[in-house]
Amino acid sequence: MSSQARHIQGMTTLLQENSAETAREAELILRVKSGDHDVFYQLIQPYERRVFATAMAILRNEADAEDVAQDSILKAFRHISQFRGEAKFSTWLLQITINEARMRKRRMTIRAMESISEQPDDEREYRPREFADWREIPSESLERKEVRNALIEALNTLEEKYRSVFVMRDIQHLSIEETAKVLDITQASVKTRLLRARLMLRDLLSPGLNGQWTAKLAFAKGVKPWE
Amino acid sequence: MGMTCETVWRESSNYLDETLGPELRLAMDEHIQGCKKCASVIEGLRNIVTLYGDERMAELPAGFSQRLQRRLEANKLPTRRHFFGWAVAFAASVVAVGSFELLRHTASEKPEAVAPPHTRRPVPPDMQVVVAEGGAQFHRAACPLLSGRSNLRTVAAAEAIHEGLSPCPRCMTEYL
């Protein structure tokens, strides 16, 4: 099958999907491809947060993440002719973002605190910490900036491979399959990393369970309970 | 056969995502009811997923969308609508260059010294740069000179230049 035929087939598949949103998205893609650049922002607007959160998951710095997020969107704009509709547009956009963020991280040697090369998944069983009692952290507490910051701080202490899976799944609400595609890993790896990320975050945020949110958190002193 | 705590922990994430088969789920439910530690693990994970899944955790920096739209606007390719404008500008520049050449050749004075080639590249006006409060320069986001600086903001290079700031000598050498 020629690339043109694959392209038409891919775009047709997109158009045939039931979702009105998907159809609208496919229409916008075709319009941008045919030169109507004014509608490109409408196309990417639903994904702005995801793109930024993805860059943030890798770079952990707001200014760098914004820079990379915007560069990635511009790159998608310039290369939209290469999008063939074989994957979801959002998956393609996030894959560009992941690549851009990793390249930026590679260049940031001065600030890089962790190795670029990934270590293999830790196969050992993770043992969650024991707590005498469980006290839920209420969602209303997210109104408080210091609570949101504490959650971000905890997330940033995780290794990138755990952090990126957690961000895709639990912040951006991508499916296991989509997460695997975006990060180019197996679905089994997504599940393994997600489990560990969730358990580590639970343990990290345990001081909040005893009503100590205003106290300095243990991980802020460099203590990682899982080590 | 009774389920072990280790199995519950291993499957806890799948349990929350509701991807377990009915038998395994039922066995876990029974175990959790009688095991305080495993109940604590499941409730803790549920809390984590709820908290991080809240949309307040995925907020964009203030002004992100506006800055993005400005960059997109600056990067639009000329379309048919804009072609006429470009053509007029091109024709005008040809006339201007032609006039200049005519004047140069008709002048009888000694030729002016040829200026050395100007190698400096202009800073792309839409380039996103970082400015530190009170600073006189603008930087790339990864510039080491920003390390430890507070109150940073991201602006378009054109805006920074308009404010009288100059490119950082460390991270923007190609524009000096």
Side-chain angles (χ1 to χ4, degrees):
Chain A
M1 190 186 287
S2 71
S3 63
Q4 180 71 12
R6 274 202 307 275
H7 177 199
I8 292 168
Q9 188 185 46
M11 296 309 295
T12 309
T13 307
L14 266 182
L15 281 165
Q16 283 173 344
E17 287 191 28
N18 292 332
S19 156
E21 281 299 311
T22 310
R24 181 180 167 273
E25 183 173 284
E27 186 206 328
L28 288 174
I29 291 167
L30 287 173
R31 284 177 63 184
V32 177
K33 281 185 170 187
S34 59
D36 189 357
H37 298 156
D38 290 337
V39 298
F40 182 75
Y41 182 69
Q42 286 178 50
L43 175 64
I44 58 93
Q45 193 178 21
Y47 307 118
E48 274 181 306
R49 285 180 181 209
R50 284 190 188 178
V51 170
F52 175 74
T54 301
M56 191 72 183
I58 292 171
L59 297 165
R60 295 186 292 182
N61 171 291
E62 195 171 292
D64 291 332
E66 169 161 348
D67 209 21
V68 163
Q70 300 211 357
D71 284 350
S72 304
I73 291 170
L74 276 173
K75 196 166 187 176
F77 176 56
R78 293 188 187 116
H79 295 92
I80 195 153
S81 59
Q82 294 168 12
F83 176 68
R84 308 213 173 277
E86 289 159 358
K88 289 169 80 173
F89 178 72
S90 58
T91 304
W92 181 71
L93 184 58
L94 293 181
Q95 281 169 340
I96 292 174
T97 310
I98 294 270
N99 289 340
E100 290 290 308
R102 285 185 175 157
M103 280 196 293
R104 170 70 63 98
K105 190 177 175 186
R106 223 167 259 134
R107 289 198 294 267
M108 289 163 55
T109 48
I110 289 172
R111 279 195 275 167
M113 298 300 287
E114 61 188 45
S115 169
I116 292 292
S117 58
E118 282 198 351
Q119 300 297 312
D121 283 343
D122 191 346
E123 297 294 333
R124 286 172 301 170
E125 199 83 54
Y126 181 85
R127 297 185 67 83
R129 289 172 69 193
E130 274 195 62
F131 305 113
D133 193 14
W134 179 262
R135 286 176 59 186
E136 186 180 314
I137 306 163
S139 293
E140 298 77 62
S141 65
L142 289 174
E143 287 297 332
R144 290 157 54 196
K145 181 83 175 161
E146 71 263 29
V147 174
R148 297 201 299 274
N149 287 343
L151 292 177
I152 290 165
E153 197 181 340
L155 183 60
N156 284 344
T157 64
L158 303 188
E159 277 181 60
E160 186 200 310
K161 62 182 175 186
Y162 298 119
R163 195 169 63 239
S164 53
V165 166
F166 182 84
V167 168
M168 298 290 158
R169 275 291 289 145
D170 286 346
I171 296 183
Q172 302 190 26
H173 307 292
L174 298 190
S175 67
I176 297 278
E177 188 187 353
E178 283 175 307
T179 304
K181 272 188 193 165
V182 168
L183 295 173
D184 196 22
I185 57 176
T186 64
Q187 293 188 33
S189 289
V190 171
K191 289 182 181 180
T192 307
R193 294 179 190 188
L194 182 63
L195 167 66
R196 190 168 279 253
R198 286 171 171 176
L199 287 171
M200 287 191 289
L201 284 171
R202 167 195 176 266
D203 290 355
L204 277 170
L205 295 167
S206 59
L209 308 177
N210 300 322
Q212 298 169 10
W213 272 108
T214 52
K216 197 166 176 63
L217 298 173
F219 56 81
K221 298 169 192 161
V223 179
K224 295 180 180 177
W226 61 87
E227 286 178 346
Chain B
M1 192 175 75
M3 178 172 272
T4 63
C5 292
E6 284 77 12
T7 308
V8 173
W9 304 337
R10 199 182 309 125
E11 296 295 338
S12 55
S13 199
N14 295 328
Y15 178 86
L16 282 184
D17 290 342
E18 300 188 346
T19 56
L20 295 176
E23 280 182 26
L24 185 53
R25 185 169 187 88
L26 186 65
M28 280 186 72
D29 281 336
E30 285 172 1
H31 178 98
I32 292 162
Q33 276 180 359
C35 177
K36 199 171 174 184
K37 177 170 183 183
C38 287
S40 151
V41 170
I42 295 291
E43 285 313 304
L45 291 187
R46 200 189 304 281
N47 197 190
I48 291 297
V49 171
T50 306
L51 288 170
Y52 280 96
D54 192 288
E55 63 175 19
R56 283 168 289 190
M57 289 300 296
E59 282 178 354
L60 285 170
F64 179 97
S65 302
Q66 290 78 6
R67 289 189 289 277
L68 174 62
Q69 286 179 68
R70 278 205 299 270
R71 285 191 74 184
L72 285 172
E73 194 62 39
N75 278 274
K76 272 182 193 166
L77 298 171
T79 57
R80 275 191 292 263
R81 265 183 302 173
H82 301 132
F83 180 75
F84 183 71
W86 282 106
V88 168
F90 179 73
S93 64
V94 167
V95 169
V97 170
S99 307
F100 175 75
E101 286 296 312
L102 190 65
L103 281 172
R104 203 161 68 89
H105 282 93
T106 50
S108 57
E109 287 86 11
K110 63 177 182 181
E112 286 178 14
V114 178
H118 190 60
T119 53
R120 192 184 75 171
R121 288 167 50 196
V123 184
D126 62 306
M127 180 182 184
Q128 292 296 294
V129 296
V130 179
V131 176
E133 190 178 11
Q137 291 154 351
F138 55 88
H139 309 257
R140 291 183 193 280
C143 179
L145 300 186
L146 288 174
S147 179
R149 302 287 296 270
S150 58
N151 293 330
L152 301 176
R153 64 194 165 93
T154 306
V155 296
E159 201 176 323
I161 292 167
H162 183 71
E163 288 176 21
L165 307 180
S166 55
C168 167
R170 177 80 174 266
C171 66
M172 305 192 92
T173 48
E174 68 268 45
Y175 302 119
L176 294 173

